[in-house]
């Protein structure tokens, strides 16, 4: 019979030989992350020592003290030993207290707030299921989509302050190569500061389960030189917005979409080519779908699939749509519409159910 | 110790009716075991669903909404309807026997406690057929679990089911405590009770004081969801963090509820199969009580990354809880040291527990360090930790207890060869599944994701973990086969097949309805050992 | 499965088996019977249940700043405490009558116990009716922010516990009227009275927190 202890020993050896890197986090790319990485190594060394020692004792005792056929009588019936108890209580106690103090040192640096040393401030807003990165000082806003992850650009070797705001549910701003994450908690604003010390592009992802597309809430952080950063700022800063009404195109109907409504400038219009002027007046991306429907928008609410919080688009008679567009964007959509009853809506998960629809009647000419 | 069967004719005399109406702690213990195995199959299939989807990048078999239900219900089923009831069932069977009592203090409440379990499990699982089971994670954090973001019926059903199963636990805890405090046989002082009984007592205190807090949180969530309450809704004055605090106030002690009785089982097995007394009996008692007490002081270590926690306190308490756990580990090894170890299946599973819980305990210490937790929280590192302590720990201990006490419960021996096969496949499967998850977590793979990027570098490890998961599933096959053939044809066990130390071995297998015809004198924590070797009690040092 | 049931004949005298084979009585020892100990432990769990609700109340109240929150006059229940004070008084009196019932049955006075229990049950029912009336007079509901939510969940679950207590005492009254209790055997009355006192104490805390402070 294969000794199970030997099996365990084999696994341990395999782990050690088979990939030391597998047991360590990626190399940190921030100053704070480097401290965390070193702390990890300290904990790991102590953990490895304890594991080898204790597992070794288990395996050794099973091998050495295996009952043999010629064992007569009972082994010595030792009940305990106070000295040993004290030793193996005190030593681990000292060890964990030591680890606690080492951790506190690192924590003091990682969580430090030094507003006077901060050179770049960014605001991160998380919502189901993407991110908005804002540079308030320059008025820059970057919206991510599932197909196009947003990128946060920061200069190397400078102290960056990040503000975290949750729009709807809990999210987590997690960058593995920073060895760091911080939650976005609705109703509360979180902050942290970091100093990148390596150039490059680093991936991040939402780490707090936030519903259907939690797995698609990715982003990147790109660390560049100060010169590159300044150039990027210039490139990204938006032109001043025109002061007049944003819909500068001749539209039959204008529609304003926001959380949580679709406001049409009229409840009906004539059949034929109908041009919609669309404005996203909200804080997150929306879409605009025109659906032919005998049921009103309110009646259609009953058909929301609770599993996805959306209408099943295959069951809808959709004439056309404007796919996701960002807050502040203006789009036009021209469709050929026959007389009848229609509903215009946004079918991003949860949006329709929250009220983003309007009824529209197309009348005969 | 007669074993003739005398039954009334017809329905009332059938074994089924007997089990449906029994208040005998032994039959109830067996009912708990059967129910737990059924839910184990359900929870296991849910896990295989998760692992199958994650084996390769891309959503091949299901969409996200199904995946989210799978992992939510996998965790909920395993925690509330498998591990906790399995251990309660072992306790139910064994505790009255080990203290020399005839039954539990409140036999009818005992039966009620049991029947609430499959009933509530059905309620939770019914979500799958009624428009979607709960899918906000077993931790159900609002606002995600609130009505706006989880409008389906599954969450409501889940809440009701967990309230019911929690109530079952609380009633069970009252029963255990009164039984142990009031119904011990003469001579069985508190410090002569088996450690198994001590762990059940401490666990019962945790259940009594922790579970009601979860109930209060669930009720508040239910009010938020269905009656316009504002407890956890930040848009109307509530607090999302409030849920996390109240939830974890229970759910952290819950993990000790799930492991302490398992440690009790191990503490019964190792001395018997080493032919030595348990080393440091009193240390075990104090360590158990210490873990129980400390267990109430660490809950916010699940919330280190929220920015709303007094970090130093919770970090230091979390580090401290490693100390009594270590004390137990060293005492178990010292029990084996210079013993005469026999590697029967119960002992193999006990050794498996020691090694796997060691890993789970060690990787937990990493998270006690707040900065390191910033790196590994909510990643697969934590999934590794959870499963090493709950599967490698609690579940292996349950298996050890099953193999150890099956002869007592049924009068038949289980086959050793099949038992060893089960053990080997389980150990390989468990490590193949969960060891790679440490690396996945360090590389940055978050928990609870239905899919991952094909270029992240996580493909091979996920595939390995899936293979391991199927091995774990396969490992249960020799067990079920073993139970089947042993019940039909197993060797007769007799009252004491293992040369046990404690009172359950001082009666027939299975025991008569009233448990004991005669009790040996109780002058130490090993009354049967003393009787067998003609000693008059050598109370531990 | 060879889980044969054995003949349940009369068990032989079991050596040193002091505790009763039927766990429900357990009064072989002096002091608390098993049902009373069980009830005390159950009350520990109930205290923790209310503790969770209280923790939510305290946390939400502190973070709200002004309490009651401004903007809704109905929240000023502090200014209408006469009626709830009367209810409080009734509940306290009912605890007294309940304890009198216990003292009487300990002396073997069955009829006296029944009378005192009857009074207690009546007072409990009056409290419940009064609570429902109070609800109808308040100008806010459970959906009115954290103030409404915490008020109704605390008083509501307390009321549910009062109902449970009334039912328990009702059963005691019923069994008492059938003569099932005596000076030596009245565990259920003891246990129910402890529960009733607990319900009363919780109310005093609630009343103080919600109406006075």
């Amino acid at each position: 019979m294969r000794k199970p202890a030997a099996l365990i020993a084999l696994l341990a050896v395999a782990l050690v030989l088979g990939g030391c890197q597998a047991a360590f986090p990626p190399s940190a790319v921030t100053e704070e992350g480097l401290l965390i990485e070193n702390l990890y190594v300290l904990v790991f060394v102590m953990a490895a020592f304890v594991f080898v020692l204790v597992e070794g004792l288990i395996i050794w005792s099973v091998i050495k003290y295996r009952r043999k056929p010629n064992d007569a009588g009972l082994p010595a019936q030792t009940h305990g030993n106070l000295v040993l108890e004290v030793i193996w209580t005190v030593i681990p106690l000292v060890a964990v207290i030591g680890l606690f103090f080492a951790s506190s040192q690192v924590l003091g640096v990682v969580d430090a707030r030094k507003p006077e040393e901060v050179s770049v401030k960014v605001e991160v807003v998380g919502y189901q299921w993407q991110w908005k990165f804002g540079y308030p000082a320059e008025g820059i806003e970057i919206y991510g989509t599932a197909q196009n992850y947003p990128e946060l650009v920061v200069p190397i070797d400078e102290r960056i302050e990040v503000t975290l705001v949750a729009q709807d549910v809990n999210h987590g701003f997690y960058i593995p190569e920073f060895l760091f994450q911080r939650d976005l908690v609705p109703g509360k604003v979180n902050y942290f500061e970091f100093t990148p010390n390596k150039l490059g592009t680093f991936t991040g992802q939402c780490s707090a389960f936030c519903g259907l597309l939690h797995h698609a809430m990715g982003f990147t952080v790109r660390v560049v030189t100060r010169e590159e950063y300044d150039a990027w700022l210039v490139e990204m800063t938006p032109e001043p917005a025109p002061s007049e009404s944003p819909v500068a195109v001749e539209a039959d109907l204008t529609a304003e979409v926001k959380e949580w409504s679709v406001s049409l400038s009229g409840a009906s219009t004539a059949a034929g080519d109908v041009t919609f002027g669309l404005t996203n007046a909200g804080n997150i991306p929306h879409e605009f779908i025109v659906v032919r429907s005998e049921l009103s928008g309110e009646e259609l609410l009953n058909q929301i699939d609770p599993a996805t919080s959306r209408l099943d688009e295959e069951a809808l008679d959709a004439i056309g749509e404007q796919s996701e567009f960002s807050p502040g964007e203006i789009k036009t959509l021209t469709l050929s519409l026959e007389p009848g009853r229609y509903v215009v809506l946004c079918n991003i998960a949860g949006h329709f159910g929250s009220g983003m629809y309007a009824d529209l009647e197309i009348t005969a000419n | 110790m007669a074993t003739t069967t005398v039954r009334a004719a017809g329905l009332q005399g059938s074994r089924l009716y007997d089990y449906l109406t029994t208040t005998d702690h032994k039959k109830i213990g067996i009912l708990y075991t059967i129910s737990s195995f059924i839910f184990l199959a359900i929870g296991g299939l849910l896990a295989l669903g998760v692992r199958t989807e994650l084996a390769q990048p891309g959503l091949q078999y299901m969409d996200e909404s199904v995946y989210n239900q799978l992992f939510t219900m996998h965790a909920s089923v395993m925690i509330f309807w498998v591990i906790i009831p399995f251990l309660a069932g072992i306790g139910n069977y064994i505790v009255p026997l080990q203290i020399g009592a005839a039954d539990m203090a409140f036999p009818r409440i005992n039966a009620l406690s049991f029947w609430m379990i499959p009933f509530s499990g059905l309620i939770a699982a019914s979500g799958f057929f009624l428009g979607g089971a709960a899918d906000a994670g077993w931790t159900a954090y609002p606002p995600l679990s609130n009505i706006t973001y989880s409008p389906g019926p599954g969450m409501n059903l889940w809440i009701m089911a967990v309230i019911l199963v929690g109530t079952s636990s609380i009633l069970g805890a009252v029963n255990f405590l009164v039984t142990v405090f009031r119904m011990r046989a003469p001579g069985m002082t508190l410090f002569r009770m088996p450690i198994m009984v001590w762990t059940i007592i401490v666990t019962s205190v945790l259940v009594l004081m922790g579970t009601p807090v979860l109930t209060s949180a669930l009720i508040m969530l239910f009010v938020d969801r269905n009656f316009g309450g504002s407890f956890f809704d930040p848009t109307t004055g509530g607090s999302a963090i409030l849920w996390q605090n109240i939830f974890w106030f229970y759910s952290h002690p819950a993990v000790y509820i799930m492991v302490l009785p398992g440690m009790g089982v191990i503490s019964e097995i190792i001395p018997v199969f080493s032919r030595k007394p348990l080393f440091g009996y009193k240390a075990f008692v104090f360590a158990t009580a210490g873990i129980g007490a400390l267990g109430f002081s660490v809950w916010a270590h699940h919330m280190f990354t929220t920015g709303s926690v007094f970090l130093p306190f919770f970090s230091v308490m979390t580090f401290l809880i490693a100390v009594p756990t270590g004390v137990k580990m060293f005492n178990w090894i010292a029990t084996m040291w210079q013993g005469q170890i026999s590697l029967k299946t119960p002992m193999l599973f006990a050794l498996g527990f020691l090694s796997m819980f060691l890993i789970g305990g060690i990787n937990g210490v990493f998270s006690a360090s707040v900065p390191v937790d910033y790196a590994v929280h909510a990643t697969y590192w934590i999934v590794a930790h959870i499963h090493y302590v709950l599967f490698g720990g609690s579940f292996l201990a349950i298996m050890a207890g099953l193999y150890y006490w099956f002869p007592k419960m049924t009068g038949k021996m289980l086959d050793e060869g099949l038992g060893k096969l089960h053990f080997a496949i389980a150990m390989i499967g468990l490590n193949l599944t969960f060891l790679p998850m440490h690396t996945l977590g360090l590389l940055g793979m978050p928990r609870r994701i239905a899919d991952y990027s094909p270029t992240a570098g996580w493909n091979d490890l996920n595939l390995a973990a899936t293979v391991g998961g199927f091995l774990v599933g396969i490992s249960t096959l020799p067990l079920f086969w073993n139970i089947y053939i042993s019940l039909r044809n197993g060797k007769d066990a007799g009252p004491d097949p293992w040369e046990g130390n404690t009172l359950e071995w001082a009666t027939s297998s299975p025991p008569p309805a009233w448990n004991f015809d005669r009790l040996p004198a109780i002058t130490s924590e090993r009354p049967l050992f003393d009787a067998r070797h003609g000693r008059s009690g050598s109370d531990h040092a | 499965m060879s889980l044969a049931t054995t003949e349940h004949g009369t068990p032989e005298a079991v050596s040193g088996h002091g505790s009763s084979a039927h766990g429900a009585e357990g009064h072989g020892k002096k002091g608390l019977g098993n049902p009373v100990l069980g009830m005390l432990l159950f009350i520990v769990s109930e205290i923790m249940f209310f503790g969770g609700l209280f923790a939510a109340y305290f946390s939400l109240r502190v973070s709200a700043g002004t309490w009651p929150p401004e903007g809704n006059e109905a929240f000023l229940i502090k200014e209408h405490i006469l009626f709830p004070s009367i209810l409080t008084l009734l509940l306290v009196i009912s605890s007294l009558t309940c304890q009198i019932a216990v003292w009487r049955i300990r002396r073997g006075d069955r009829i006296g116990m029944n009378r005192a229990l009857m009074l207690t049950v009546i007072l409990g029912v009056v409290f419940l009716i009064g609570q429902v009336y109070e609800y109808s007079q308040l100008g806010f509901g459970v959906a009115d922010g954290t103030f409404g939510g915490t008020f109704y969940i605390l008083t509501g679950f307390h009321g549910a516990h009062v109902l449970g207590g009334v039912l328990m005492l009702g059963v005691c009254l019923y069994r008492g009227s059938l003569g099932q209790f005596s000076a030596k055997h009245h565990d259920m009355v003891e246990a129910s009275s402890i529960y009733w006192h607990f319900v009363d104490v919780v109310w005093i805390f609630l009343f103080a927190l919600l109406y006075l402070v």
Side-chain angles (χ1 to χ4, degrees), chain B residues 35 61 80 121 136 159 162 189 194 212-213 235 240 273 309 313 350 355 391 438 450 456 481-482 485 516 522 539:
Chain B
S35 167
Y61 307 100
F80 294 115
I159 290 174
V162 179
T189 61
V213 177
T235 64
F273 290 86
V309 167
F313 173 76
S355 307
F391 189 110
H438 293 100
W481 180 246
N482 201 350
I485 59 168
F516 296 98
I522 300 167
D539 271 332

Side-chain angles (χ1 to χ4, degrees), chain B residues 92-115:
Chain B
N92 243 302
Y93 198 102
I94 294 299
V95 165
L97 285 168
Q98 283 193 333
I99 62 173
D103 205 316
M104 298 276 278
F106 306 114
R108 283 171 298 184
I109 293 184
N110 205 15
L112 173 68
S113 281
F114 167 69
W115 287 107

Side-chain angles (χ1 to χ4, degrees), chain B residues 6-14:
Chain B
V6 177
R7 291 197 216 285
L11 175 67
Q12 290 223 309
S14 73

Side-chain angles (χ1 to χ4, degrees), chain B residues 2 4 19 27 182 186 409-410, chain C residues 2-3 5-6 16 32 45 48:
Chain B
T4 45
Y19 271 83
K27 297 208 177 102
R182 307 306 303 277
M409 295 179 179
T410 63
Chain C
S2 66
L3 293 162
T5 32
T6 49
L32 307 172
S45 80
M48 294 307 290

Side-chain angles (χ1 to χ4, degrees), chain B residues 238-255:
Chain B
S239 162
I241 290 279
L242 179 62
W243 164 269
Q244 295 189 36
N245 274 304
I246 304 184
F247 175 85
W248 285 114
F249 186 83
Y250 160 73
S251 299
H252 191 81
V255 315

Side-chain angles (χ1 to χ4, degrees), chain B residues 2-7 15 18-19 27 30 34 100-106 170-171 174 177-178 181-186 208-209 212-213 215-216 219-220 223 227-231 236-239 242 246 249 409-410 412 487 510 512-514 516-519, chain C residues 1-9 11-27 29-39 41-42 44-46 48-53 55-57 59-60 63 142-146 149-150 153 157:
Chain B
T3 52
T4 45
T5 310
V6 177
R7 291 197 216 285
R15 182 171 283 140
D18 184 20
Y19 271 83
K27 297 208 177 102
I30 289 172
I34 297 173
D103 205 316
M104 298 276 278
F106 306 114
I170 293 171
L171 293 175
V174 172
L177 287 168
V178 176
F181 285 134
R182 307 306 303 277
M183 296 171 67
R184 281 170 282 128
L208 202 65
M209 300 192 62
V213 177
T215 309
S216 76
I219 287 176
M220 287 189 271
V223 170
F227 300 105
S230 311
F231 295 99
T236 50
S239 162
L242 179 62
I246 304 184
F249 186 83
M409 295 179 179
T410 63
K412 302 286 188 191
L487 284 174
W514 55 89
F516 296 98
D517 286 324
R518 217 155 220 108
L519 281 172
Chain C
M1 255 179 140
S2 66
L3 293 162
T5 32
T6 49
E7 278 206 65
H8 196 96
E12 300 169 23
V14 180
S15 62
H17 196 94
S19 303
S20 159
H22 313 287
E25 302 287 357
H27 50 260
K29 302 200 163 113
K30 276 219 174 79
L32 307 172
N34 283 3
V36 170
L37 179 58
M39 178 56 80
L41 290 170
F42 180 67
V44 169
S45 80
E46 294 278 63
M48 294 307 290
F49 170 73
F50 277 100
L53 298 180
Y57 171 77
S59 165
L60 291 171
S63 64
V142 71
D144 282 309
T146 52
T150 51
I153 216 175
F157 272 93

Side-chain angles (χ1 to χ4, degrees), chain B residues 107-132:
Chain B
R108 283 171 298 184
I109 293 184
N110 205 15
L112 173 68
S113 281
F114 167 69
W115 287 107
M116 289 172 85
I117 294 188
F119 178 64
S120 58
L122 279 175
I123 292 180
S126 70
F128 280 117
F129 305 106
L130 294 174

Side-chain angles (χ1 to χ4, degrees), chain A residues 164-301:
Chain A
L164 298 166
V165 174
Q167 188 101 50
D168 40 31
V169 301
N170 293 285
H171 296 280
F173 189 73
Y174 170 48
I175 306 143
E177 285 166 285
F178 285 22
L179 278 76
F180 186 86
Q181 66 191 283
R182 183 59 51 91
D183 288 357
L184 287 75
V185 181
K188 178 180 196 291
V189 179
N190 273 339
Y191 304 91
F192 72 95
E193 295 171 14
F194 72 96
T195 313
N197 61 7
K198 282 207 178 64
L199 298 169
T201 305
F202 311 110
T203 44
Q205 193 169 350
C206 178
S207 57
F209 182 60
C210 55
L212 215 55
L213 293 177
H214 167 60
H215 67 91
M217 234 177 117
F219 62 92
T220 53
V221 178
R222 183 155 62 100
V223 179
V224 296
T225 62
R226 177 30 91 161
E227 297 73 38
E228 286 169 324
Y229 177 71
D230 286 333
W232 177 84
L233 279 181
V234 168
E235 184 192 316
M236 293 294 296
T237 304
E239 318 261 313
S243 48
E244 50 164 278
S245 165
V247 183
V249 83
E250 206 182 287
D252 298 299
L253 285 171
T254 59
E256 192 186 81
V257 296
K258 64 180 189 343
E259 305 83 65
W260 302 103
S261 62
V262 176
S263 309
L264 281 176
S265 57
S268 64
T269 190
D273 282 342
V274 177
T275 300
F276 295 91
L278 310 172
T279 307
N280 185 339
N283 293 316
I284 58 178
H286 292 291
E287 58 183 20
F288 183 86
I289 308 178
V290 178
V291 166
R292 181 126 190 209
S293 168
E294 287 310 309
L295 298 176
S296 70
E298 195 174 330
E299 287 163 331
L300 274 179
L301 285 175

